[in-house]
């Protein structure tokens, strides 16, 4: 059996998953890859920390030079996260002709182009399956198994924390704060949940998927992002009454050569396959022009699911007989991304207003003047000073809806437009 020496950068959640999988399934992995994989060094910040995993202490180092200067290390597995100093460590590894495996969505989404260029120039490989949807093989799915297709659309639930929170709000009637607290207690949400609940995490992942699916450079700043913090229990309740479920969807669509890239809370019909993806599970729904519609479902985070994707990438490197780099940006284009104002969707709009004659008529007129066509209009029983009105539009340009709502907000009788949620059929 041939031997290969690899290094791990990081021994946190994912690093421990990688270590444990290599211990647990080492025999099978050796048979499948043709290599006996030896972890030669592990970079951590604190070599004395108790990690709840039996790793020989001599493997741990807090000095990256121990790894970069060791020419016998052929693969660097980056599972430490962040940009700085991670980017530098990856570039130095690539320049030393070491293959790289990474789980780092933030780095690939924001600095992918620069890294891929170095990888190509140095004739090595980079694999990053774990960076999107943890254990779900969506990157290889798009890159390899669906390579015969033109991808038309991707809709994903690619953040487990927000899916857990929305599931609790839907199934147990919890409000956002209580559901977030439970997600933190269960270890899904971090102490600072901003990246998850404000949609940053899903936006990074969508940028990676869209770049691969549409073979284009994606500037993360062009991914529209809206989190779930404004979703109220009553929005979920009204959605249910209308046959919808609220999910944080990451959507990438090619509409006549222009891309829509957006992450936002979305109402989807309760019979849609994505509507039944609950708890911390992830799923990615893909439409290709040959394969049609398909959905990949599984665990998007956690030690072993994410470790599964990382070790799968290590095996891919070992199995690959391809000479040179596995990445080529040469056929990538720079597809235009639509502004949100140019996106067409149906809209759920909840507003509070003074309950007096003529108000609903004036709202309807304002919408009509802006070319916004109403599908349904319901006034809920008056509670307190204001009545709640829930209206749903037909498919309309977002720009028109925003303009109409701005004008409606200026009306005396309107208290507030409380929420606007896009609907995808
Ligand atoms: P984590 O638990 O915080 O672990 C990070 C590890 O990296 C720790 O062992 C830490 O060392 C080490 N580290 C961090 N900065 C370092 C530095 N400057 N120098 C040396 N060592 C450093 O993180 P994680 O949850 O495993 O996530 C790792 C990566 O995987 C991230 O890019 C994340 O986005 C991605 N990812 C995670 C999941 C998941 O389920 N957690 C899923 C998909 C992708 P110490 O232990 O000594 O502090
Ligand atoms: N924080 C992410 C989530 C997991 O909740 O899905 C890592 O990608």
């Amino acid at each position: 059996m041939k031997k290969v020496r690899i290094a791990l950068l990081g021994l946190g959640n994912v690093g421990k998953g990688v270590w444990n999988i290599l211990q647990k399934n080492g025999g099978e992995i050796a048979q499948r890859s043709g290599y006996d994989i030896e972890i030669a060094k592990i970079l951590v910040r604190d070599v004395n920390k108790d990690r709840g995993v039996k790793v020989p202490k001599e493997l741990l180092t807090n000095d990256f030079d121990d790894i970069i200067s060791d020419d016998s290390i052929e693969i660097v597995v980056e599972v430490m996260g962040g940009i700085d100093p991670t980017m530098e460590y990856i570039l130095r590894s690539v320049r030393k002709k070491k293959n790289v495996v990474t789980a780092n969505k933030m780095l690939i989404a924001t600095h992918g182009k620069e890294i891929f260029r170095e990888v190509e120039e140095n004739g090595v490989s980079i694999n990053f399956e774990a960076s999107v949807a943890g254990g779900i093989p969506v990157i290889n799915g798009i890159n390899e198994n669906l390579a015969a297709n033109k991808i038309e659309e991707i809709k994903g639930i690619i953040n487990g924390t927000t899916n857990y929170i929305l599931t609790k709000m839907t199934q147990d009637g919890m409000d956002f704060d209580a559901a977030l607290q439970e997600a933190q207690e269960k270890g899904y949400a971090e102490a600072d949940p901003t990246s998850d609940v404000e949609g940053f995490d899903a936006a990074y992942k969508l940028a990676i998927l869209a770049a691969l699916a549409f073979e284009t450079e994606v500037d993360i700043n062009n991914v529209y992002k809206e989190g779930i913090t404004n979703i109220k229990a009553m929005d979920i309740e009204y959605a249910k009454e209308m046959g919808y479920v609220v999910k944080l969807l990451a959507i990438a669509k090619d509409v006549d050569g222009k891309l829509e890239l957006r992450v936002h809370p979305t109402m989807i019909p309760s019979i849609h396959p994505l509507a039944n993806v609950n708890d911390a599970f992830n799923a990615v729904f893909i439409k290709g022009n040959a394969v049609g519609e398909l959905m990949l479902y599984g665990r998007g985070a956690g030690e072993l699911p994410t470790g599964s994707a990382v070790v799968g990438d290590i095996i891919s490197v070992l199995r690959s007989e391809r000479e040179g780099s596995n990445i080529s940006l040469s056929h990538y284009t720079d597809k235009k991304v639509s502004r949100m104002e140019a996106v067409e969707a149906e809209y759920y709009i909840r507003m509070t207003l003074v309950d007096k004659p003529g108000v609903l008529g004036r709202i309807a007129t304002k919408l009509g003047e802006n070319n916004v066509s109403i599908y349904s209009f319901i006034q809920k029983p008056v509670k307190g000073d204001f009545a709640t009105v829930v209206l749903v539009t037909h498919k309309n340009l977002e720009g028109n809806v925003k303009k109409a709502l701005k004008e409606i907000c200026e009306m005396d009788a309107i208290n507030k437009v409380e929420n606007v949620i896009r609907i995808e059929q």
Side-chain angles (χ1 to χ4, degrees):
M1 180 78 62
K2 291 176 281 184
K3 244 193 172 171
V4 64
R5 280 162 63 81
I6 71 171
L8 294 187
L9 310 186
L11 190 59
N13 292 311
V14 183
K16 282 190 278 187
V18 171
W19 173 271
N20 287 330
I21 290 169
L22 287 173
Q23 305 308 308
K24 197 160 114 179
N25 299 343
E28 291 83 353
I29 290 168
Q31 290 301 327
R32 289 173 197 154
S33 66
Y35 284 86
D36 185 8
I37 301 172
E38 182 195 344
I39 298 186
K41 275 278 168 238
I42 306 176
L43 182 74
V44 290
R45 270 182 299 225
D46 177 1
V47 292
N48 295 315
K49 185 162 146 185
D50 179 10
R51 298 166 189 282
V53 65
K54 277 194 194 149
V55 173
K57 197 151 183 240
E58 63 274 15
L59 294 190
L60 300 180
T61 177
N62 52 20
D63 184 356
F64 180 66
D65 282 345
D66 290 344
I67 291 168
I68 200 70
S69 60
D70 184 340
D71 289 337
S72 71
I73 292 174
E74 293 180 47
I75 304 175
V76 170
V77 179
E78 186 275 302
V79 285
M80 60 188 250
I83 307 285
D84 184 24
T86 321
M87 168 89 170
E88 180 209 322
Y89 292 173
I90 287 186
L91 290 181
R92 286 175 66 193
S93 303
V94 166
R95 288 175 194 141
K96 287 276 274 185
K97 314 289 181 205
K98 297 183 193 299
N99 298 293
V100 170
V101 171
T102 176
N104 194 330
K105 67 214 128 180
M106 193 204 280
L107 186 67
I108 296 296
T110 56
H111 294 78
K113 189 172 153 190
E114 204 178 329
I115 294 172
F116 295 165
R117 209 156 264 154
E118 290 272 354
V119 164
E120 210 174 343
E121 278 171 23
N122 284 280
V124 289
S125 66
I126 184 157
N127 287 274
F128 45 94
E129 181 62 68
S131 65
V132 181
I136 305 177
V138 61
I139 290 187
N140 269 315
I142 290 174
N143 269 349
E144 305 285 341
N145 312 89
L146 298 177
N149 288 262
K150 275 190 187 167
I151 305 280
E152 295 169 351
E153 183 179 303
I154 298 174
K155 284 183 188 157
I157 295 174
I158 49 180
N159 182 267
T161 303
T162 46
N163 202 37
Y164 184 83
I165 293 171
L166 290 172
T167 301
K168 288 286 140 190
M169 291 175 77
T170 304
Q171 294 183 347
D172 301 343
M174 282 187 178
D175 67 17
F176 173 81
D177 290 331
L180 170 60
Q181 196 184 332
E182 191 172 305
Q184 283 169 324
E185 282 160 11
K186 295 222 165 198
Y188 295 128
E190 294 183 25
D192 176 359
T194 312
S195 174
D196 292 319
V197 299
E198 296 293 359
F200 290 92
D201 176 80
Y204 292 137
K205 294 168 180 169
L206 184 69
I208 297 173
L209 290 184
L212 298 174
F214 302 115
E215 295 174 301
T216 182
E217 288 169 18
V218 172
D219 179 343
I220 188 69
N221 298 308
N222 287 334
V223 180
Y224 175 81
K225 165 175 52 58
E226 197 181 297
I228 63 163
T229 51
N230 195 36
I231 300 294
K232 302 283 185 283
M234 80 172 72
D235 296 313
I236 303 238
E237 202 46 49
Y238 295 154
K240 234 186 245 178
E241 285 173 17
M242 295 184 293
Y244 294 116
V245 173
V246 180
K247 294 287 182 190
L248 183 72
L249 282 201
I251 300 171
K253 285 186 195 176
D254 184 333
V255 182
D256 303 327
K258 258 187 146 182
L259 296 185
E260 287 182 15
L261 302 176
R262 44 194 173 101
V263 171
H264 51 70
T266 313
M267 288 191 184
I268 51 175
S270 52
I271 53 164
H272 192 287
L274 285 170
N276 297 304
V277 175
N278 287 320
D279 299 320
F281 278 89
N282 282 199
V284 185
F285 187 86
I286 302 175
K287 202 164 149 192
N289 72 343
V291 72
E293 294 175 342
L294 65 88
M295 190 167 97
L296 300 166
Y297 169 88
R299 292 195 184 276
E303 281 185 27
L304 292 179
T306 312
S308 157
V310 173
V311 176
D313 275 351
I314 298 171
I315 297 171
S316 293
V317 176
L318 298 175
R319 278 177 169 172
S320 172
E321 283 162 16
R322 195 191 325 228
E323 284 292 312
S325 159
N326 66 336
I327 287 276
S328 170
L329 294 176
S330 59
H331 60 295
Y332 269 44
T333 55
D334 192 5
K335 285 209 165 110
K336 294 270 168 292
V337 178
S338 295
R339 290 175 309 117
M340 277 311 279
E341 282 68 19
V343 163
E344 274 193 303
E346 295 165 34
Y347 295 83
Y348 155 97
I349 300 164
R350 174 167 62 86
M351 56 179 95
T352 44
L353 43 79
V354 181
D355 191 15
K356 65 180 188 188
V359 179
L360 295 190
R362 284 165 57 211
I363 292 172
T365 304
K366 276 283 175 237
L367 291 165
E369 283 169 2
N370 284 286
N371 246 336
V372 177
S373 169
I374 301 169
Y375 172 73
S376 71
F377 208 139
I378 304 163
Q379 179 166 329
K380 300 287 178 187
V382 180
K383 279 190 197 148
D385 295 338
F386 300 108
T388 292
V389 160
V390 170
L391 67 92
V392 173
T393 74
H394 280 292
K395 214 169 190 188
N396 283 290
L397 273 179
E398 178 139 339
N400 291 351
V401 174
K402 279 188 177 154
K403 184 162 170 288
L405 289 178
K406 187 168 177 284
E407 291 171 10
I408 287 170
C409 279
E410 285 160 6
M411 288 164 48
D412 287 346
I414 301 300
N415 177 51
K416 197 174 167 202
V417 173
E418 305 279 354
N419 215 347
V420 178
I421 303 176
R422 297 166 190 86
I423 301 172
E424 287 276 323
Q425 294 300 342

